[in-house]
Amino acid sequence: MTDEPRKPFLCLVVCAAGIAAGVGRLISAAQERGWEVGVIATPAAVNGFLDIAEAEARTGRPIRSAWRRPSDPRPFPAPDAVVVAPATFNTVNKWAAGLADTLAVGTLCEALGLGVPIAVLPCVADALAAHPAYQESLTRLRALGVRFGDPYGGEAEADGGRPEFDWERALDLLERR
């Protein structure tokens, strides 16, 4: 009798940005690359930015956004890696400052402290991305080993469309040595 090896567990942190509705693409891509996936969403993300039913159906796990009680079992295994996508201005700044006031940011702070590989796909408007606090947060997190993809502002292109959000880039960043 042989036990099937455990798949690596990817914790996906989803923030409240319009593109969060497309996170199913990242979940599917991660599963195709051999990851088991669990989603933690910011409180704002579960308030209309994320299709909770779809994400739960894809992962087979509940979407978490609130702290569990000490007596409740841990619904996810310890993560082998973490992806933050889309990552907002608010979450990046709170995380860099160590303000673990939500499950999502607390998870990021803990993963950083444990040395878990973390990839981030920022979704921040150009005006906010230029803010000095945000720039300092990026510098601090990069210095701690966090891997960032190119920023995505989501501004309309000349034809009125929006550029694609490169969901799979997060997985590529994790595979980078």
Side-chain angles (χ1 to χ4, degrees):
M1 184 171 169
T2 59
D3 288 330
E4 206 172 301
R6 179 182 85 81
K7 288 184 178 182
F9 186 76
L10 177 67
C11 180
L12 173 54
V13 175
V14 180
C15 302
I19 58 169
V23 77
R25 290 179 48 203
L26 177 55
I27 295 168
S28 293
Q31 291 168 332
E32 288 169 12
R33 293 191 192 190
W35 292 94
E36 183 178 347
V37 182
V39 176
I40 295 177
T42 63
V46 295
N47 198 15
F49 288 88
L50 173 66
D51 185 335
I52 294 169
E54 178 196 10
E56 288 180 341
R58 286 181 188 259
T59 64
R61 296 179 173 278
I63 303 308
R64 298 193 56 213
S65 66
W67 302 102
R68 65 180 177 83
R69 291 181 301 242
S71 61
D72 291 342
R74 291 183 177 271
F76 295 169
D80 296 291
V82 176
V83 166
V84 191
T88 59
F89 176 85
N90 191 45
T91 295
V92 169
N93 285 326
K94 288 194 314 182
W95 177 24
L99 301 176
D101 65 340
T102 65
L103 176 61
V105 180
T107 298
L108 295 174
C109 290
E110 184 177 77
L112 188 63
L114 292 171
V116 174
I118 304 170
V120 181
L121 297 181
C123 183
V124 178
D126 291 345
L128 292 174
H131 192 285
Y134 182 73
Q135 291 303 312
E136 291 169 12
S137 293
L138 293 178
T139 298
R140 181 176 203 173
L141 292 169
R142 282 185 177 121
L144 294 168
V146 176
R147 302 165 188 180
F148 282 85
D150 294 332
Y152 177 87
E155 285 79 21
E157 296 175 329
D159 65 0
R162 300 221 184 272
E164 282 289 314
F165 188 71
D166 190 6
W167 292 103
E168 289 192 47
R169 177 71 177 129
L171 302 173
D172 297 339
L173 289 167
L174 288 176
E175 293 169 359
R176 182 191 85 200
R177 297 284 177 223

